[in-house]
Amino acid sequence: MHLAYPAVLSALLFCTGLYGVLARRNAILVLMSVELMLNAVNLNLVAFDVWLSRAAEEALHSGQALTLFTIAIAAAEIGIGLAIVLAVHRNRGTSDIDKLRDTAEGHEPDGPDTDTPATGTAAEKAEATA
């Protein structure tokens, strides 16, 4: 089997995952897209390990061992990520990344974005002096 087939499949999987990370707003779908990208990397590791082990006399299979570590780290990442998403969903009522970003920066989620300065304190001072 040629190396091009798994490499092309891996590139397609990685691009699909990258599109999911950049385009999706739901945190769970973003985590699934990150997992898709990690699986594309795992496919590349195994494919290049098999290809290099045919060329070398010794079969170390270091790519496959690294893939096992990557799978273990990905499982831990998805577990912690889902726990964080569930905790945020319980506290804020949404898992929409754009809304969570707006509340983290201190913007009003439903209010308009205006760049005019607040004059409430100046008006209160004027009434107090009058």
Side-chain angles (χ1 to χ4, degrees), residues 28-116:
I28 294 175
L29 291 177
V30 170
L31 286 174
M32 288 173 59
S33 298
V34 169
E35 288 293 321
L36 194 62
M37 291 167 58
L38 284 173
N39 285 331
V41 171
N42 288 338
L43 179 62
N44 254 345
L45 284 172
V46 171
F48 276 97
D49 180 53
V50 169
W51 184 64
L52 289 174
S53 68
R54 288 182 185 170
E57 294 177 6
E58 300 173 2
L60 295 177
H61 299 296
S62 57
Q64 294 178 13
L66 187 59
T67 299
L68 289 176
F69 286 118
T70 307
I71 290 171
I73 290 172
E77 174 256 336
I78 198 71
I80 292 172
L82 283 175
I84 291 171
V85 167
L86 285 174
V88 168
H89 183 63
R90 285 182 185 163
N91 288 337
R92 309 246 176 156
T94 184
S95 62
D96 188 9
I97 293 176
D98 291 334
K99 289 181 182 177
L100 295 177
R101 185 181 311 131
D102 289 342
T103 56
E105 292 175 356
H107 296 292
E108 295 291 327
D110 294 328
D113 283 335
T114 58
D115 292 335
T116 59

